[in-house]
Coordinates of all heavy atoms in Angstrom, one line a residue:
A28 N -44.2 59.1 1.4 CA -44.2 58.1 2.4 C -44.6 56.7 1.9 O -44.3 55.7 2.6 CB -45.1 58.6 3.5
K29 N -45.3 56.7 0.8 CA -45.8 55.4 0.3 C -44.7 54.5 -0.2 O -44.9 53.3 -0.4 CB -46.9 55.6 -0.7 CG -46.5 56.2 -2.0 CD -47.7 56.3 -2.9 CE -47.2 56.8 -4.3 NZ -48.3 56.9 -5.2
W30 N -43.5 55.1 -0.5 CA -42.4 54.3 -1.1 C -41.5 53.8 -0.1 O -40.6 53.0 -0.4 CB -41.6 55.2 -2.1 CG -42.4 55.5 -3.3 CD1 -43.1 56.6 -3.6 CD2 -42.6 54.6 -4.4 NE1 -43.8 56.5 -4.8 CE2 -43.5 55.3 -5.4 CE3 -42.2 53.3 -4.7 CZ2 -43.9 54.7 -6.6 CZ3 -42.6 52.8 -5.9 CH2 -43.4 53.5 -6.8
I31 N -41.6 54.1 1.2 CA -40.7 53.7 2.2 C -40.7 52.1 2.3 O -39.6 51.6 2.4 CB -41.0 54.3 3.6 CG1 -40.6 55.8 3.5 CG2 -40.3 53.7 4.7 CD1 -41.0 56.6 4.7
P32 N -41.8 51.4 2.3 CA -41.7 50.0 2.4 C -41.0 49.3 1.3 O -40.4 48.2 1.4 CB -43.2 49.6 2.4 CG -44.0 50.7 2.8 CD -43.2 51.9 2.3
V33 N -40.9 50.0 0.1 CA -40.2 49.4 -1.0 C -38.7 49.2 -0.7 O -38.1 48.3 -1.1 CB -40.4 50.2 -2.3 CG1 -39.5 49.8 -3.4 CG2 -41.9 50.2 -2.7
F34 N -38.2 50.2 0.1 CA -36.8 50.1 0.4 C -36.4 49.2 1.6 O -35.3 48.7 1.7 CB -36.3 51.6 0.7 CG -36.4 52.5 -0.5 CD1 -37.3 53.5 -0.5 CD2 -35.6 52.3 -1.6 CE1 -37.5 54.3 -1.6 CE2 -35.7 53.1 -2.7 CZ -36.7 54.1 -2.7
F35 N -37.4 49.0 2.5 CA -37.1 48.2 3.7 C -37.5 46.7 3.5 O -36.9 45.9 4.1 CB -37.8 48.8 4.9 CG -37.2 50.1 5.4 CD1 -37.9 51.2 5.3 CD2 -35.9 50.1 5.8 CE1 -37.4 52.4 5.7 CE2 -35.4 51.3 6.3 CZ -36.1 52.5 6.2
V36 N -38.5 46.4 2.8 CA -39.0 45.1 2.7 C -38.1 44.1 2.0 O -37.9 43.0 2.5 CB -40.4 45.0 2.0 CG1 -40.9 43.6 1.7 CG2 -41.4 45.7 2.9
P37 N -37.4 44.5 0.9 CA -36.5 43.5 0.3 C -35.4 43.0 1.2 O -35.1 41.8 1.3 CB -36.0 44.2 -0.9 CG -37.0 45.2 -1.2 CD -37.6 45.6 0.1
G38 N -34.8 43.9 2.0 CA -33.8 43.5 2.9 C -34.3 42.6 4.0 O -33.6 41.7 4.4
L39 N -35.5 42.9 4.5 CA -36.0 42.1 5.6 C -36.5 40.7 5.1 O -36.4 39.7 5.8 CB -37.2 42.8 6.2 CG -36.9 44.1 7.0 CD1 -38.2 44.7 7.5 CD2 -36.0 43.7 8.2
A40 N -37.0 40.7 3.8 CA -37.4 39.4 3.3 C -36.2 38.5 3.0 O -36.3 37.3 3.1 CB -38.1 39.7 2.0
M41 N -35.0 39.1 2.7 CA -33.9 38.3 2.4 C -33.0 38.0 3.7 O -32.0 37.2 3.6 CB -33.0 39.0 1.4 CG -33.6 39.1 0.1 SD -34.1 37.6 -0.7 CE -32.5 36.9 -1.0
L42 N -33.4 38.5 4.8 CA -32.7 38.3 6.0 C -32.5 36.8 6.4 O -31.4 36.4 6.8 CB -33.3 39.1 7.2 CG -32.5 39.2 8.5 CD1 -31.2 39.9 8.2 CD2 -33.3 40.0 9.5
P43 N -33.5 36.0 6.3 CA -33.2 34.6 6.7 C -32.2 33.9 5.8 O -31.6 32.9 6.2 CB -34.6 33.9 6.5 CG -35.6 35.0 6.6 CD -34.9 36.2 6.1
L44 N -32.0 34.4 4.5 CA -31.1 33.7 3.6 C -29.7 34.4 3.7 O -28.8 34.0 2.9 CB -31.7 33.9 2.2 CG -33.0 33.2 2.0 CD1 -33.5 33.5 0.5 CD2 -32.9 31.7 2.2
A45 N -29.5 35.4 4.5 CA -28.2 36.1 4.6 C -27.2 35.1 5.1 O -27.4 34.2 5.9 CB -28.4 37.2 5.6
P46 N -25.9 35.3 4.6 CA -24.8 34.5 5.2 C -24.6 34.7 6.6 O -25.0 35.8 7.1 CB -23.6 34.9 4.3 CG -24.0 36.2 3.8 CD -25.5 36.3 3.7
S47 N -24.0 33.8 7.3 CA -23.7 34.0 8.7 C -22.8 35.1 9.0 O -22.0 35.5 8.2 CB -23.2 32.7 9.3 OG -21.9 32.5 8.8
M48 N -22.9 35.7 10.2 CA -22.1 36.9 10.5 C -20.6 36.5 10.7 O -19.7 37.3 10.5 CB -22.6 37.5 11.8 CG -23.8 38.4 11.7 SD -23.3 39.9 10.9 CE -22.4 40.7 12.1
G49 N -20.4 35.3 11.1 CA -19.0 34.9 11.4 C -18.8 34.6 12.9 O -19.7 34.3 13.6
N50 N -17.5 34.6 13.3 CA -17.3 34.3 14.7 C -17.5 35.4 15.6 O -17.9 36.5 15.2 CB -15.8 33.7 14.8 CG -14.8 34.7 14.3 OD1 -15.2 35.9 14.1 ND2 -13.6 34.3 14.1
T51 N -17.3 35.2 16.9 CA -17.6 36.2 17.9 C -16.8 37.5 17.7 O -17.3 38.6 18.0 CB -17.4 35.6 19.3 OG1 -18.1 34.3 19.4 CG2 -17.8 36.5 20.4
T52 N -15.5 37.3 17.4 CA -14.7 38.5 17.2 C -15.2 39.5 16.1 O -15.1 40.7 16.3 CB -13.2 38.1 17.0 OG1 -13.1 37.3 15.8 CG2 -12.6 37.4 18.1
E53 N -15.7 38.9 15.1 CA -16.2 39.8 14.0 C -17.4 40.5 14.5 O -17.6 41.7 14.2 CB -16.5 38.9 12.8 CG -15.3 38.4 12.0 CD -15.6 37.6 10.8 OE1 -16.8 37.5 10.5 OE2 -14.7 37.1 10.2
I54 N -18.3 39.8 15.2 CA -19.5 40.5 15.7 C -19.1 41.6 16.7 O -19.7 42.7 16.7 CB -20.4 39.4 16.4 CG1 -20.9 38.5 15.3 CG2 -21.6 40.1 17.1 CD1 -21.7 37.3 15.9
L55 N -18.1 41.3 17.6 CA -17.7 42.3 18.5 C -17.1 43.5 17.8 O -17.2 44.7 18.3 CB -16.7 41.7 19.5 CG -17.3 40.7 20.5 CD1 -16.3 40.1 21.4 CD2 -18.4 41.4 21.4
K56 N -16.3 43.3 16.7 CA -15.8 44.4 16.0 C -16.9 45.3 15.4 O -16.8 46.5 15.5 CB -14.9 43.8 14.8 CG -13.6 43.3 15.3 CD -12.8 42.8 14.1 CE -11.6 42.0 14.4 NZ -10.9 41.5 13.3
V57 N -17.9 44.6 14.8 CA -19.0 45.4 14.3 C -19.7 46.2 15.3 O -20.0 47.4 15.2 CB -20.0 44.5 13.5 CG1 -21.3 45.2 13.1 CG2 -19.3 43.9 12.3
L58 N -20.0 45.6 16.5 CA -20.6 46.3 17.6 C -19.8 47.4 18.1 O -20.3 48.5 18.4 CB -21.0 45.3 18.7 CG -22.1 44.4 18.5 CD1 -22.3 43.4 19.6 CD2 -23.4 45.1 18.2
F59 N -18.5 47.2 18.2 CA -17.6 48.3 18.6 C -17.6 49.5 17.6 O -17.7 50.6 18.1 CB -16.1 47.8 18.7 CG -15.1 48.9 19.0 CD1 -15.1 49.4 20.3 CD2 -14.3 49.4 18.1 CE1 -14.2 50.4 20.6 CE2 -13.4 50.4 18.3 CZ -13.3 50.9 19.6
I60 N -17.6 49.2 16.4 CA -17.6 50.3 15.4 C -18.9 51.0 15.5 O -18.9 52.3 15.4 CB -17.5 49.7 13.9 CG1 -16.1 49.1 13.8 CG2 -17.7 50.7 12.9 CD1 -14.9 50.1 13.9
V61 N -20.1 50.3 15.6 CA -21.3 51.0 15.8 C -21.4 51.9 17.0 O -21.8 53.1 16.9 CB -22.5 50.0 15.8 CG1 -23.8 50.6 16.1 CG2 -22.6 49.3 14.4
V62 N -21.0 51.4 18.1 CA -21.0 52.1 19.4 C -20.0 53.3 19.3 O -20.4 54.4 19.7 CB -20.7 51.2 20.6 CG1 -20.6 52.0 21.9 CG2 -21.9 50.2 20.7
A63 N -18.8 53.0 18.9 CA -17.8 54.1 18.8 C -18.3 55.2 17.8 O -18.1 56.4 18.1 CB -16.5 53.5 18.4
G64 N -18.9 54.8 16.7 CA -19.4 55.8 15.7 C -20.5 56.6 16.3 O -20.6 57.8 16.0
F65 N -21.3 56.0 17.1 CA -22.4 56.8 17.8 C -21.8 57.8 18.7 O -22.2 59.0 18.6 CB -23.3 55.8 18.6 CG -24.3 56.5 19.4 CD1 -25.4 57.1 18.9 CD2 -24.1 56.6 20.8 CE1 -26.4 57.8 19.7 CE2 -25.1 57.3 21.6 CZ -26.2 57.9 21.0
Y66 N -20.9 57.5 19.5 CA -20.3 58.4 20.5 C -19.5 59.5 19.7 O -19.5 60.7 20.1 CB -19.5 57.7 21.5 CG -20.4 57.1 22.6 CD1 -20.4 55.7 22.7 CD2 -21.1 57.9 23.4 CE1 -21.2 55.1 23.6 CE2 -22.0 57.3 24.4 CZ -22.0 55.9 24.5 OH -22.8 55.3 25.4
Y67 N -18.8 59.1 18.7 CA -18.1 60.1 17.9 C -19.0 61.1 17.2 O -18.7 62.3 17.2 CB -17.2 59.3 16.8 CG -16.5 60.2 15.9 CD1 -15.3 60.8 16.3 CD2 -16.9 60.5 14.6 CE1 -14.6 61.7 15.5 CE2 -16.2 61.4 13.8 CZ -15.0 62.0 14.3 OH -14.3 62.8 13.5
S68 N -20.1 60.6 16.7 CA -21.1 61.4 16.1 C -21.7 62.4 17.1 O -21.9 63.6 16.8 CB -22.2 60.6 15.4 OG -23.2 61.4 14.9
C69 N -22.0 61.9 18.3 CA -22.5 62.8 19.3 C -21.5 63.9 19.7 O -21.9 65.1 19.8 CB -23.0 62.0 20.5 SG -24.4 61.0 20.3
A70 N -20.3 63.5 19.9 CA -19.2 64.4 20.3 C -19.0 65.5 19.2 O -18.9 66.7 19.5 CB -17.9 63.7 20.6
T71 N -18.8 65.0 18.0 CA -18.6 66.0 16.9 C -19.8 67.0 16.7 O -19.6 68.2 16.5 CB -18.2 65.3 15.6 OG1 -19.3 64.4 15.2 CG2 -16.9 64.6 15.7
T72 N -21.0 66.5 16.9 CA -22.1 67.4 16.8 C -22.1 68.4 17.9 O -22.4 69.6 17.7 CB -23.4 66.5 16.8 OG1 -23.4 65.6 15.7 CG2 -24.7 67.4 16.7
A73 N -21.8 67.9 19.1 CA -21.8 68.8 20.3 C -20.8 69.9 20.1 O -21.0 71.1 20.3 CB -21.6 68.1 21.5
Y74 N -19.6 69.5 19.7 CA -18.5 70.5 19.5 C -18.8 71.4 18.3 O -18.4 72.6 18.3 CB -17.1 69.8 19.3 CG -16.6 69.4 20.7 CD1 -16.5 68.0 20.9 CD2 -16.3 70.3 21.7 CE1 -16.0 67.6 22.1 CE2 -15.9 69.8 22.9 CZ -15.7 68.5 23.2 OH -15.3 68.0 24.4
A75 N -19.4 70.9 17.3 CA -19.8 71.8 16.1 C -20.8 72.9 16.6 O -20.7 74.0 16.2 CB -20.4 71.0 15.0
V76 N -21.8 72.4 17.4 CA -22.8 73.4 17.9 C -22.1 74.4 18.8 O -22.4 75.6 18.7 CB -23.9 72.6 18.7 CG1 -24.8 73.6 19.5 CG2 -24.7 71.8 17.7
L77 N -21.2 74.0 19.7 CA -20.5 74.9 20.6 C -19.7 75.9 19.7 O -19.6 77.1 20.0 CB -19.6 74.2 21.6 CG -20.3 73.4 22.7 CD1 -19.4 72.7 23.5 CD2 -21.1 74.4 23.5
G78 N -19.0 75.4 18.7 CA -18.2 76.3 17.8 C -19.1 77.3 17.1 O -18.7 78.5 17.0
L79 N -20.2 76.9 16.6 CA -21.1 77.8 15.9 C -21.7 78.8 16.9 O -21.8 80.0 16.6 CB -22.3 77.1 15.3 CG -21.9 76.3 14.0 CD1 -23.1 75.4 13.6 CD2 -21.5 77.2 12.9
R80 N -22.0 78.4 18.1 CA -22.5 79.3 19.1 C -21.4 80.3 19.5 O -21.7 81.5 19.7 CB -23.0 78.6 20.3 CG -24.3 77.9 20.1 CD -24.8 77.1 21.2 NE -25.1 78.0 22.3 CZ -25.3 77.6 23.6 NH1 -25.3 76.3 23.9 NH2 -25.6 78.5 24.5
K81 N -20.2 79.9 19.6 CA -19.1 80.8 19.9 C -18.9 81.8 18.8 O -18.6 83.0 19.1 CB -17.8 80.0 20.2 CG -16.7 80.7 20.8 CD -15.6 79.8 21.2 CE -14.6 80.6 22.1 NZ -13.6 79.7 22.6
M82 N -19.0 81.4 17.5 CA -18.8 82.3 16.4 C -19.9 83.3 16.4 O -19.7 84.5 16.0 CB -18.8 81.5 15.1 CG -17.5 80.8 14.8 SD -17.3 80.1 13.2 CE -18.9 79.6 12.7
Q83 N -21.1 82.9 16.8 CA -22.2 83.8 16.8 C -22.3 84.7 18.0 O -23.0 85.7 18.1 CB -23.6 83.1 16.7 CG -23.8 82.4 15.4 CD -25.0 81.6 15.4 OE1 -25.7 81.3 16.4 NE2 -25.4 81.2 14.2
G84 N -21.5 84.4 19.0 CA -21.4 85.2 20.3 C -22.5 84.9 21.2 O -22.8 85.7 22.1
S85 N -23.1 83.7 21.1 CA -24.3 83.4 22.0 C -23.9 82.4 23.1 O -24.8 81.7 23.6 CB -25.5 83.0 21.2 OG -25.1 81.8 20.5
V86 N -22.6 82.2 23.4 CA -22.2 81.2 24.4 C -22.2 81.9 25.7 O -21.7 83.0 25.9 CB -20.8 80.7 24.1 CG1 -20.3 79.9 25.2 CG2 -20.7 80.0 22.8
T87 N -22.8 81.2 26.7 CA -22.8 81.7 28.1 C -21.9 80.7 28.8 O -21.8 79.5 28.6 CB -24.2 81.6 28.7 OG1 -24.7 80.3 28.6 CG2 -25.1 82.6 28.0
S88 N -21.1 81.3 29.8 CA -20.1 80.5 30.5 C -20.8 79.5 31.4 O -20.3 78.4 31.5 CB -19.2 81.4 31.2 OG -19.9 82.2 32.2
A89 N -21.8 79.9 32.1 CA -22.5 79.0 33.0 C -24.0 79.4 33.1 O -24.3 80.6 33.0 CB -21.8 79.0 34.4
A90 N -24.8 78.4 33.4 CA -26.2 78.7 33.6 C -26.4 79.3 35.0 O -26.0 78.7 36.0 CB -27.0 77.5 33.4
V91 N -27.0 80.5 35.1 CA -27.2 81.1 36.4 C -28.7 81.0 36.7 O -29.5 81.5 35.9 CB -26.8 82.6 36.3 CG1 -27.0 83.3 37.6 CG2 -25.3 82.7 35.9
P92 N -29.0 80.5 37.8 CA -30.5 80.4 38.1 C -31.1 81.8 38.3 O -30.5 82.6 39.0 CB -30.5 79.5 39.4 CG -29.2 79.6 40.0 CD -28.2 79.9 38.9
V93 N -32.2 82.0 37.7 CA -32.9 83.3 37.8 C -33.8 83.2 39.1 O -34.6 82.3 39.2 CB -33.7 83.5 36.6 CG1 -34.4 84.9 36.7 CG2 -32.8 83.5 35.4
A94 N -33.6 84.3 39.9 CA -34.4 84.3 41.1 C -35.8 84.7 40.7 O -36.1 85.5 39.8 CB -33.8 85.4 42.1
S95 N -36.8 84.2 41.4 CA -38.2 84.5 41.1 C -38.5 86.0 41.5 O -38.0 86.4 42.6 CB -39.1 83.6 41.9 OG -40.4 83.9 41.7
S96 N -39.2 86.7 40.7 CA -39.5 88.1 41.0 C -40.7 88.1 42.0 O -40.9 89.2 42.6 CB -39.9 88.8 39.8 OG -41.1 88.2 39.2
D97 N -41.4 87.0 42.2 CA -42.5 87.0 43.2 C -41.9 86.5 44.5 O -41.8 85.4 44.8 CB -43.5 86.0 42.7 CG -44.8 86.0 43.6 OD1 -45.0 87.0 44.3 OD2 -45.5 85.0 43.6
S98 N -41.6 87.5 45.4 CA -41.0 87.2 46.7 C -42.0 87.4 47.8 O -41.6 87.6 49.0 CB -39.7 88.0 46.9 OG -40.0 89.4 46.9
S99 N -43.3 87.5 47.5 CA -44.3 87.8 48.5 C -44.6 86.6 49.3 O -45.2 86.7 50.4 CB -45.6 88.3 47.8 OG -46.1 87.3 47.0
G100 N -44.2 85.4 48.9 CA -44.5 84.2 49.7 C -45.9 83.7 49.4 O -46.3 82.7 50.1
A101 N -46.6 84.2 48.5 CA -47.9 83.8 48.2 C -47.9 82.4 47.5 O -46.9 82.2 46.7 CB -48.7 84.8 47.3
P102 N -48.8 81.5 47.8 CA -48.7 80.2 47.1 C -49.0 80.4 45.6 O -49.8 81.2 45.2 CB -49.9 79.4 47.7 CG -50.8 80.4 48.3 CD -49.9 81.6 48.7
K103 N -48.3 79.6 44.8 CA -48.5 79.6 43.4 C -49.8 79.0 43.0 O -50.3 78.1 43.6 CB -47.3 78.9 42.7 CG -46.0 79.5 42.9 CD -44.9 78.8 42.2 CE -43.6 79.4 42.4 NZ -42.5 78.7 41.7
P104 N -50.4 79.5 41.9 CA -51.7 78.9 41.5 C -51.5 77.5 40.9 O -50.4 77.2 40.3 CB -52.2 79.9 40.4 CG -50.9 80.5 39.9 CD -50.0 80.6 41.1
K105 N -52.5 76.7 41.2 CA -52.4 75.3 40.7 C -52.6 75.2 39.2 O -53.4 76.0 38.6 CB -53.5 74.4 41.4 CG -53.3 74.3 42.9 CD -54.3 73.4 43.5 CE -54.1 73.2 44.9 NZ -55.1 72.4 45.5
P106 N -51.8 74.4 38.5 CA -52.0 74.3 37.1 C -53.3 73.7 36.6 O -53.7 73.9 35.5 CB -50.8 73.5 36.6 CG -50.4 72.7 37.8 CD -50.7 73.5 39.0
F107 N -53.9 72.8 37.5 CA -55.1 72.1 37.2 C -56.1 72.3 38.3 O -55.7 72.4 39.5 CB -54.9 70.6 36.9 CG -53.9 70.4 35.9 CD1 -52.6 69.9 36.2 CD2 -54.1 70.6 34.5 CE1 -51.7 69.6 35.2 CE2 -53.2 70.3 33.6 CZ -52.0 69.8 33.9
S108 N -57.4 72.3 38.0 CA -58.4 72.4 39.0 C -58.4 71.1 39.8 O -58.0 70.0 39.3 CB -59.8 72.6 38.4 OG -60.2 71.5 37.7
T109 N -58.9 71.2 41.0 CA -59.1 70.0 41.9 C -60.0 69.0 41.3 O -59.7 67.7 41.4 CB -59.6 70.4 43.3 OG1 -58.7 71.5 43.8 CG2 -59.5 69.2 44.2
N110 N -61.0 69.4 40.6 CA -62.0 68.5 39.9 C -61.3 67.7 38.9 O -61.5 66.5 38.7 CB -63.1 69.3 39.4 CG -64.2 68.4 38.8 OD1 -64.3 67.3 39.2 ND2 -65.0 68.9 37.9
L111 N -60.5 68.4 38.0 CA -59.8 67.7 37.0 C -58.8 66.6 37.5 O -58.7 65.5 37.0 CB -59.0 68.6 36.1 CG -58.2 68.1 34.9 CD1 -59.1 67.3 34.0 CD2 -57.5 69.1 34.2
V112 N -58.1 67.0 38.6 CA -57.1 66.1 39.2 C -57.9 64.8 39.7 O -57.4 63.7 39.6 CB -56.3 66.8 40.3 CG1 -55.5 65.8 41.1 CG2 -55.5 67.8 39.7
N113 N -59.0 65.0 40.3 CA -59.8 63.9 40.8 C -60.3 63.0 39.7 O -60.3 61.8 39.8 CB -61.0 64.4 41.6 CG -60.6 65.0 42.9 OD1 -59.5 64.7 43.4 ND2 -61.4 65.9 43.5
V114 N -60.8 63.6 38.6 CA -61.3 62.8 37.5 C -60.1 62.0 36.9 O -60.2 60.8 36.6 CB -61.9 63.7 36.4 CG1 -62.2 63.0 35.1 CG2 -63.2 64.3 37.0
L115 N -59.0 62.6 36.7 CA -57.8 61.9 36.1 C -57.3 60.9 37.0 O -56.7 59.8 36.6 CB -56.7 62.9 35.7 CG -57.1 63.9 34.6 CD1 -55.9 64.9 34.4 CD2 -57.3 63.1 33.3
G116 N -57.4 61.1 38.3 CA -56.9 60.1 39.3 C -57.8 58.9 39.3 O -57.3 57.8 39.7
Q117 N -59.0 59.0 39.0 CA -59.9 57.8 38.9 C -59.6 56.9 37.8 O -59.9 55.7 37.8 CB -61.4 58.2 38.9 CG -61.8 58.9 40.2 CD -63.2 59.5 40.0 OE1 -63.8 59.4 39.0 NE2 -63.7 60.0 41.1
G118 N -59.1 57.4 36.7 CA -58.8 56.6 35.5 C -60.0 56.6 34.6 O -61.0 57.2 34.9
L119 N -59.8 55.8 33.6 CA -60.9 55.7 32.6 C -61.9 54.6 33.0 O -61.8 53.6 33.3 CB -60.4 55.4 31.2 CG -59.5 56.6 30.6 CD1 -58.9 56.2 29.3 CD2 -60.4 57.8 30.5

């Protein structure tokens, strides 16, 4: 981790001396490539995962909500005590 700044600092130090980007169309082309590449990367990753899951046989067609086994109608226990909720509500 101590070598990471060596790779990032020279580029940032030379940024003010960098040549201009060009006109607006060139900037828009670069932005389009970056955005399109992001979505292409997301799509190919998603389809690769789906393909691997299908090969492994772990694909489910749809998520089915699981009914709660507790049908007694009893209230669920609170995750936090009332005292803790009051203390956190007051802030620091």
